Amino acid sequence: MPEIQLGCHTVRSHGIKVARIHMHDWLILFLLVVIEIILNVIGPFHRFVGEEMMTDLKYPLQDNTVPFWAVPIIAILLPFAVILIYYFIRRDVYDLHHALLGLLYSVLITGVITDAIKDAVGRPRPDFFWRCFPDGKGVFDTVTRDVICTGDKAVIKEGYKSFPSGHTSWCFAGLGFLAWYLSGKVRAFDRRGHVAKLCIVFLPLLSAALVGVSRVDDYWHHWQDVFAGALLGTILASFCYLQFFPPPYDVDGWGPHAYFEMLAESRNGLPSSTSTNHLRVQHSELESVYIDSHRGMETSSGNVRDPRPILDGVEGNWRH
């Protein structure tokens, strides 16, 4: 059986075909963008904020350490730059397309859920007092003692959007997806004990965590807002990555599912369900080690073949 190699499935040769197969996914993605815009236009629920509640909402109003315009750069453009670099190295349009689609879905689904919760909950930010009363003079309803804000309407509107943190959820969605992506590409879980690879994987997560910390330091969010945003972004990044790629600890964790399905379809009509362990790939493509759970033997995977002949040969050597 001839070897099947990477590098021959580029944007020019297979890009239109791949995009056409996933046309409905791109249409839904566009719908998510529209929903996200609508959620940012409509006003949030104005939760009751009594006079006695203002004690914990008088933190100073200050600028963002990480401005709003920087969030898409951190969450989308930075991971995409890494994905694009990998494409120029390997020329695999399947990896490029599915990584980009997974990244955008991860961020946009997270954004829609985050902003929907923000609008529904209407939790006041830690600096709400100064948003509501920029002159420092509180005005409250004579009966309910609810706030009667005198500040700028746009500033007050943002003041009711504390939970969860959008900066944090977006960054954990995008950089969390990047962490998954890098762990597969560097084969972080190949059972060879190269712990240094984990530093590459954890770097995006550390960056996302620092963005979350800045939201508390700037008094734009309570710590619970940041924690919830980080959890939400991480979970959705994981779901979206595993929709397109095998787990990083899998022997085929370096490539997308669609790539192996394409190889299966090109092999004399073999069903895709039986193809994964029968594909031959260059030694440079698979440098991992997998263990046969029943015999406890380690086999170097220079090429991915049917493991039975290899194991039979090893057993024969042991008998002699």
Side-chain angles (χ1 to χ4, degrees):
M1 181 178 63
E3 291 186 349
I4 302 175
Q5 302 181 13
L6 292 176
C8 56
H9 306 98
T10 64
V11 172
R12 178 176 298 181
S13 62
H14 290 73
I16 296 177
K17 174 185 176 182
V18 175
R20 186 177 299 162
I21 294 174
H22 293 272
M23 184 63 66
H24 62 285
D25 294 313
W26 287 103
L27 292 175
I28 296 298
L29 197 67
F30 177 76
L31 179 61
L32 288 174
V33 173
V34 174
I35 295 174
E36 174 69 4
I37 293 174
I38 294 174
L39 289 172
N40 278 276
V41 171
I42 64 177
F45 170 66
H46 283 205
R47 180 171 295 277
F48 173 83
V49 183
E51 185 175 3
E52 69 282 356
M53 298 170 62
M54 281 295 185
T55 304
D56 297 328
L57 303 176
K58 288 186 176 181
Y59 289 90
L61 177 61
Q62 56 189 40
D63 293 333
N64 295 285
T65 300
V66 180
F68 285 97
W69 57 263
V71 176
I73 296 177
I74 297 172
I76 299 177
L77 294 185
L78 180 59
F80 178 64
V82 176
I83 295 169
L84 197 61
I85 291 172
Y86 184 81
Y87 170 75
F88 284 123
I89 295 174
R90 294 302 179 89
R91 299 288 180 178
D92 179 14
V93 70
Y94 290 93
D95 186 274
L96 174 66
H97 178 272
H98 288 72
L100 176 59
L101 192 61
L103 172 65
L104 292 177
Y105 262 95
S106 176
V107 173
L108 285 173
I109 293 177
T110 299
V112 168
I113 294 177
T114 298
D115 288 319
I117 296 175
K118 277 178 178 286
D119 290 341
V121 173
R123 186 183 190 185
R125 297 184 185 272
D127 57 8
F128 182 78
F129 178 86
W130 296 104
R131 291 174 178 271
C132 191
F133 311 119
D135 57 359
K137 299 178 182 179
V139 181
F140 301 90
D141 188 275
T142 56
V143 178
T144 64
R145 305 309 296 170
D146 191 12
V147 293
I148 301 177
C149 294
T150 58
D152 182 83
K153 290 184 178 180
V155 177
I156 297 171
K157 176 183 175 182
E158 279 298 317
Y160 282 100
K161 291 186 174 185
S162 186
F163 182 87
S165 169
H167 275 58
T168 308
S169 64
W170 271 58
C171 289
F172 268 92
L175 296 179
F177 187 93
L178 178 60
W180 277 97
Y181 184 81
L182 290 174
S183 65
K185 294 300 179 285
V186 303
R187 297 158 176 92
F189 307 104
D190 60 1
R191 303 179 184 179
R192 294 183 178 182
H194 298 302
V195 184
K197 293 180 179 180
L198 295 180
C199 296
I200 300 175
V201 176
F202 289 149
L203 183 59
L205 298 177
L206 174 61
S207 301
L210 291 177
V211 172
V213 171
S214 73
R215 304 307 289 160
V216 178
D217 292 345
D218 294 339
Y219 308 118
W220 277 63
H221 288 284
H222 309 274
W223 72 266
Q224 299 94 331
D225 309 332
V226 171
F227 180 81
L231 187 63
L232 178 62
T234 302
I235 291 175
L236 287 170
S238 303
F239 273 110
C240 290
Y241 179 83
L242 296 176
Q243 183 71 19
F244 295 99
F245 293 83
Y249 54 80
D250 192 272
V251 67
D252 294 327
W254 56 271
H257 294 299
Y259 176 76
F260 298 107
E261 291 175 0
M262 177 275 301
L263 293 184
E265 293 173 358
S266 66
R267 289 190 63 251
N268 301 323
L270 266 180
S272 59
S273 60
T274 62
S275 64
T276 302
N277 290 329
H278 294 272
L279 297 176
R280 291 187 177 183
V281 185
Q282 284 183 320
H283 177 72
S284 61
E285 304 305 332
L286 291 176
E287 299 175 349
S288 59
V289 174
Y290 62 93
I291 300 176
D292 186 285
S293 59
H294 299 290
R295 295 183 175 91
M297 296 179 295
E298 294 187 357
T299 306
S300 176
S301 57
N303 291 324
V304 179
R305 302 183 180 91
D306 184 346
R308 289 171 297 179
I310 298 176
L311 295 177
D312 290 343
V314 173
E315 290 178 351
N317 292 333
W318 284 359
R319 292 192 184 98
H320 294 295

